[in-house]
Amino acid sequence: MSQPSVDSTPQKKRSGSRGSATNFASDCTDQWSSRMDDARKEREHRRFDFDDIARCALPKNSTLRDLVDKRATDISSNLEAILKKRSQDPATPALMRQAINKCCEWLRGELISKNSSRYEKVIYPAHAALIRCIADHLDPEPAAAGSTDEAKRVLLPYASDLKPTGSDERIRIDGALHSCANASSSDNKLRPEYRDIVLVAEAKWYREQDEAYAQLIRYTRQVYANQPNRRFAWGVTICATLVRVVLFENDRMVSSKDMDVTTSTGIAAYVKFIVSLCYCEEHQLGYDPSMTWCSENKYWVIKCPGRTPDDDDEQPVTYYARDLVFVADHLFGRHTRGFYASDDPDLVDQPDTFIKDAWPHAERGSEDTSRDELAILQDIVQQLKNHGIDTTDYVRPVRGGTVKLDGDHDDDTDIVLDPVVGDIEAASPRMGTIAEDDETDAGTLPMELAAGRGKDDEACAIDDSSRVEVIPYRVHRRLALQPIGKPLYALSSPYELIIVLADAMLAHSKILNLCGYLHRDISTNNILAIEVDGRVRGVLIDFDCAIKVGSQRRVRAERTGTPPFMSINNLRNSSVERSELDDWESLLYVVCWLGVYGVSEEEQSSYQADIEKKCRTDKNYKPPLYKWEYGTFEEVADSKARSLEDVGTFTSSVLDHFKEGPEYKELSDLALSLYTRLFFNPNLRPAFHGIVGSSTLPTALASSIRVSRALFAMSNPFEERLKQNARDQINTDLAEVMNYFKQESSRILYVDRASD
């Protein structure tokens, strides 16, 4: 049997998670229940049943499909004899014989009646014995090794009920399968590792199918976080004798019908699925063949589409990357990942290029490039050059395009769901559907799901909000970008942070005013720091959510952004047009976030340790900005509105929690200046000051959600400030604030300290 072409994913600390929106408070005692609640909601809103989803695992080659049918039929029709032979083999270990006996009882429906109170403990060993016997049966005879009938791999079970390595949760899984060259391979492992798991299996009782789905969602999320080359994932639920196959794609979890292993039809269907996974192509397991791990040199080998600003040639260029910088640690969404890379393997430790890999939405069959990040960046850079602007501090595309499978097929939703995508769409009248006007990078979510995600949760809306699909269409795109920068948590002080943020917002304004693009996703992860002539500078990145605006700079209302940093207007998805003022408000939240949690990685680690300590001693403890992160969009919006109600409330609920010291006092002053210019600008009539639109009401009354929404409808401050005179003046005021604080920070860092 041939060696699998997919190397084990290297076990790495999750790069890029420090300072992300879900990193802080991630170890609070309510983390488990919070993630389970999220999983249950996703189960309800993302799952639909499609009987033939296992067909996606069938080999593309017709000869191999026939072979799968033959081998699966041979195994399922003779399963009892195969199990008996293995059990009676003297070489079979005693524990394996016990598991085989349990498997036989399971297949006859006897195991469950005997162990109704211990079902999880007995179901998985029985299931593991079944998988092991299938693997043994697929092993070729020595004389047949290398034949065309040979399976590409076998799947083997890990030991059950263990905590896999690579998880950010201290939880056990019921079981999982991994890939080996053959059943006796030295690669066979007992302890599960998320970096190597092909699929997770979750065992429950008959009436606990919904809970099995929720657990499977949680565990499969960890698979994505540990496998940068994962495109989609398989999973299995085992509820007593009923098995279901689940395929997790970017927006949906598609589940098969029950396969009852006590019936000939049910066991035949499940055995065929497992055998299919042993014969299918690598990409049908969910892996990306254009991104592989080189075990010998310990780096990623990444094929990037070759389209450049000057050449439409699609020939891929190979890059080499040591570490993953940004992790797709959410199950649904764009699965944005990032690497520091070089096109020279000898310079892999001196990278000069950032590789961005993501699955954005697209229009099936459309040539429209208005939402294509590569086309947007090329247009921005060209227009800036036309205006005589040095693009050193701007992200520049080197090359990129759509990732190809088998050389010429676009990697997209249709490839993932081939050959059933047409059948799924045809079945749509009897399935739940979702609209694409609210897309977070946790996927396309109903409002109650989209908040409380994290750094990979950018919300990017599709222009055509009237379009509704069962499975939204996405395309796998990869970009090579320059320059590479450091994340904000790599900065050493708030003074450096202020300079970087000021540069980023200056670029934001130029891109809007000169090029006509509104960014719409200002967050801690979309601003990087670079060094030019010994001084820190800022670069604005990630234009996935950017949109072309007209001369009047009008943008239709749609929810976009990263939840903890989204504007209140945006979170509430109001009918008021989105504007650059929403991005300025997002910047305010970035300043507040890092002011409370710390700028540097060391400060953030220390703060997180303090949070963990407080959580252990007080189960009800919540960090200061906790409610900016968790809850529905409306709940996050209401929390921010309460925090920003007036200067006194903003000071006590946010600014007073900033870290101490003169540097953080400067950051606090910046936050207060941005806040007052945004919400209490003298160019706005007093009736439109604040969040609610009536700064004269008593605090207790103004903070009432019922009253505030009623007032919001009567006097909307977000709408008032978009009147042209007010809008222009507010923008001018905000730019002056950033410039002033940048000059002060530069003076302290580069003038005063130099003279000392």
Side-chain angles (χ1 to χ4, degrees):
M1 187 170 295
S2 60
Q3 182 69 27
S5 57
V6 179
D7 279 341
S8 296
T9 303
Q11 198 67 53
K12 292 283 185 183
K13 175 184 175 181
R14 292 193 186 176
S15 306
S17 62
R18 178 69 58 201
S20 68
T22 55
N23 188 55
F24 304 110
S26 63
D27 289 299
C28 288
T29 54
D30 64 345
Q31 179 201 42
W32 190 91
S33 60
S34 175
R35 285 192 173 173
M36 276 307 299
D37 287 345
D38 283 348
R40 292 182 184 113
K41 290 175 183 177
E42 287 173 330
R43 172 199 68 205
E44 292 301 315
H45 294 279
R46 293 188 179 280
R47 183 196 127 235
F48 67 79
D49 298 331
F50 184 75
D51 292 351
D52 293 331
I53 193 61
R55 282 169 52 199
C56 292
L58 283 172
K60 304 297 183 184
N61 181 281
S62 60
T63 301
L64 289 181
R65 284 199 303 272
D66 292 341
L67 185 58
V68 165
D69 282 338
K70 179 177 180 298
R71 300 299 298 269
T73 300
D74 181 38
I75 293 172
S76 58
S77 60
N78 297 285
L79 189 55
E80 186 174 349
I82 294 171
L83 291 168
K84 183 177 180 180
K85 179 180 178 182
R86 178 67 191 272
S87 177
Q88 294 175 347
D89 187 342
T92 301
L95 287 177
M96 183 60 183
R97 284 198 294 272
Q98 293 176 18
I100 291 174
N101 292 335
K102 290 183 182 298
C103 182
C104 293
E105 292 180 355
W106 179 48
L107 298 176
R108 293 194 297 266
E110 300 169 357
L111 183 65
I112 305 304
S113 60
K114 293 180 180 180
N115 299 274
S116 58
S117 63
R118 300 176 58 250
Y119 43 88
E120 293 183 32
K121 296 289 186 182
V122 296
I123 290 177
Y124 186 76
H127 175 262
L130 171 65
I131 299 299
R132 164 61 77 171
C133 286
I134 293 174
D136 289 340
H137 197 73
L138 291 178
D139 254 0
E141 297 295 329
S147 72
T148 56
D149 291 350
E150 183 183 340
K152 291 181 171 63
R153 66 193 72 80
V154 295
L155 299 185
L156 292 173
Y158 291 104
S160 62
D161 200 30
L162 291 174
K163 297 175 184 177
T165 60
S167 173
D168 64 353
E169 297 182 300
R170 303 181 184 92
I171 53 177
R172 299 172 180 269
I173 63 174
D174 290 338
L177 307 183
H178 64 106
S179 173
C180 285
N182 51 62
S184 58
S185 171
S186 61
D187 292 335
N188 188 17
K189 302 169 184 177
L190 294 177
R191 186 175 187 85
E193 300 176 270
Y194 274 118
R195 66 181 184 178
D196 293 330
I197 288 176
V198 173
L199 65 82
V200 177
E202 175 63 18
K204 292 290 181 187
W205 184 236
Y206 276 116
R207 293 175 294 277
E208 296 187 314
Q209 180 65 60
D210 284 347
E211 199 65 7
Y213 281 136
Q215 292 279 36
L216 192 63
I217 287 170
R218 289 189 68 195
Y219 303 147
T220 307
R221 168 188 171 272
Q222 303 285 350
V223 172
Y224 272 105
N226 283 270
Q227 298 182 18
N229 54 343
R230 198 72 183 216
R231 300 162 53 248
F232 65 89
W234 292 100
V236 169
T237 64
I238 311 165
C239 294
T241 62
L242 305 179
V243 177
R244 291 189 183 184
V245 170
V246 180
L247 186 149
F248 293 94
E249 59 92 45
N250 294 80
D251 295 287
R252 290 287 202 175
M253 55 178 295
V254 188
S255 175
S256 74
K257 62 183 178 181
D258 286 331
M259 303 175 185
D260 190 340
V261 297
T262 65
T263 68
S264 58
T265 303
I267 190 61
Y270 186 54
V271 169
K272 183 175 180 178
F273 169 68
I274 296 299
V275 174
S276 295
L277 293 180
C278 296
Y279 277 90
C280 69
E281 295 300 322
E282 178 182 309
H283 67 82
Q284 292 178 268
L285 291 177
Y287 292 104
D288 180 358
S290 68
M291 183 186 299
T292 56
W293 175 253
C294 177
S295 300
E296 180 180 355
N297 296 311
K298 299 190 184 316
Y299 53 56
W300 288 99
V301 180
I302 305 169
K303 301 288 186 181
C304 186
R307 200 170 101 223
T308 70
D310 304 314
D311 189 357
D312 288 335
D313 183 13
E314 290 285 352
Q315 289 300 313
V317 174
T318 302
Y319 285 86
Y320 306 88
R322 190 75 76 189
D323 293 326
L324 181 66
V325 183
F326 292 110
V327 179
D329 57 357
H330 292 273
L331 185 53
F332 300 106
R334 283 182 290 165
H335 296 153
T336 304
R337 299 172 171 106
F339 302 81
Y340 291 154
S342 170
D343 59 4
D344 185 343
D346 293 333
L347 299 177
V348 66
D349 293 314
Q350 302 172 47
D352 61 356
T353 304
F354 180 77
I355 301 295
K356 178 180 177 179
D357 187 270
W359 286 75
H361 278 124
E363 295 290 338
R364 187 182 274 106
S366 173
E367 298 297 324
D368 180 21
T369 61
S370 63
R371 302 303 293 268
D372 183 340
E373 187 178 14
L374 177 63
I376 289 173
L377 290 174
Q378 289 174 343
D379 188 29
I380 288 173
V381 170
Q382 186 59 53
Q383 290 198 58
L384 290 173
K385 288 181 178 178
N386 292 343
H387 284 89
I389 294 176
D390 182 5
T391 59
T392 300
D393 295 351
Y394 295 81
V395 61
R396 305 180 300 279
V398 178
R399 58 179 45 84
T402 301
V403 175
K404 303 288 186 180
L405 289 180
D406 299 328
D408 57 354
H409 297 292
D410 287 352
D411 191 13
D412 58 14
T413 301
D414 292 348
I415 288 288
V416 171
L417 293 173
D418 181 50
V420 302
V421 64
D423 295 334
I424 289 176
E425 293 298 332
S428 60
R430 64 177 186 272
M431 296 179 184
T433 59
I434 49 180
E436 290 192 63
D437 60 335
D438 292 332
E439 183 203 346
T440 71
D441 203 78
T444 304
L445 284 172
M447 183 166 58
E448 62 267 26
L449 290 184
R453 296 291 172 237
K455 72 175 184 59
D456 194 37
D457 291 347
E458 301 94 342
C460 282
I462 280 290
D463 254 28
D464 184 7
S465 62
S466 63
R467 182 164 59 89
V468 176
E469 293 180 318
V470 180
I471 303 290
Y473 180 70
R474 293 179 183 264
V475 174
H476 186 187
R477 293 200 171 114
R478 188 170 294 151
L479 304 179
L481 305 169
Q482 291 179 346
I484 63 171
K486 300 182 295 184
L488 295 184
Y489 64 76
L491 297 173
S492 61
S493 75
Y495 295 132
E496 289 187 339
L497 175 67
I498 290 170
I499 295 170
V500 168
L501 296 182
D503 286 344
M505 292 311 292
L506 174 62
H508 175 280
S509 297
K510 287 185 178 179
I511 290 170
L512 175 63
N513 296 323
L514 299 180
C515 309
Y517 288 96
L518 182 62
H519 188 275
R520 305 197 306 169
D521 190 15
I522 302 298
S523 72
T524 54
N525 292 287
N526 290 342
I527 298 173
L528 298 180
I530 61 174
E531 187 173 302
V532 179
D533 297 330
R535 295 195 174 194
V536 69
R537 304 283 288 273
V539 178
L540 183 63
I541 65 167
D542 198 344
F543 284 76
D544 268 350
C545 295
I547 192 168
K548 187 78 171 176
V549 299
S551 59
Q552 300 301 313
R553 293 187 294 180
R554 298 189 66 85
V555 181
R556 79 173 181 84
E558 56 184 16
R559 184 183 284 124
T560 62
T562 304
F565 311 110
M566 289 166 66
S567 70
I568 295 171
N569 187 40
N570 193 2
L571 286 163
R572 286 176 172 159
N573 204 25
S574 77
S575 59
V576 178
E577 68 174 281
R578 305 297 184 263
S579 74
E580 65 275 20
L581 297 182
D582 290 280
D583 283 0
W584 278 105
E585 186 178 335
S586 293
L587 179 75
L588 169 63
Y589 299 137
V590 169
V591 173
C592 293
W593 193 269
L594 296 176
V596 171
Y597 294 123
V599 173
S600 70
E601 184 170 12
E602 181 180 358
E603 289 173 321
Q604 292 176 9
S605 297
S606 175
Y607 190 86
Q608 184 168 344
D610 290 341
I611 289 176
E612 293 172 10
K613 183 178 179 180
K614 291 176 181 178
C615 288
R616 287 192 295 269
T617 57
D618 181 0
K619 292 191 299 182
N620 297 318
Y621 174 76
K622 298 294 187 297
L625 304 182
Y626 179 84
K627 291 187 177 180
W628 287 15
E629 180 179 1
Y630 292 102
T632 68
F633 277 133
E634 283 291 340
E635 288 169 347
V636 174
D638 290 339
S639 174
K640 287 182 176 180
R642 285 191 291 268
S643 297
L644 276 62
E645 179 186 341
D646 54 47
V647 174
T649 304
F650 180 57
T651 300
S652 61
S653 63
V654 180
L655 300 184
D656 286 350
H657 296 281
F658 272 41
K659 288 188 169 295
E660 296 180 351
E663 295 178 331
Y664 280 95
K665 178 60 169 63
E666 189 79 358
L667 199 61
S668 175
D669 290 345
L670 170 60
L672 183 59
S673 296
L674 291 172
Y675 168 73
T676 54
R677 299 307 192 280
L678 270 169
F679 299 113
F680 294 89
N681 196 288
N683 293 282
L684 293 174
R685 290 175 288 169
F688 293 95
H689 283 179
I691 306 300
V692 174
S694 179
S695 60
T696 60
L697 283 177
T699 298
L701 184 61
S703 63
S704 164
I705 299 304
R706 179 178 58 82
V707 174
S708 69
R709 287 178 179 167
L711 286 168
F712 193 87
M714 292 186 293
S715 57
N716 189 334
F718 299 105
E719 188 171 20
E720 177 71 12
R721 68 185 186 179
L722 289 182
K723 293 183 177 179
Q724 200 59 45
N725 290 339
R727 178 179 188 166
D728 290 344
Q729 190 57 53
I730 293 172
N731 276 311
T732 299
D733 290 350
L734 291 167
E736 288 177 353
V737 164
M738 287 306 303
N739 186 53
Y740 170 78
F741 278 90
K742 176 186 176 180
Q743 289 179 353
E744 285 297 296
S745 296
S746 298
R747 177 181 59 78
I748 292 170
L749 282 179
Y750 304 120
V751 179
D752 293 356
R753 291 185 179 178
S755 62
D756 291 342

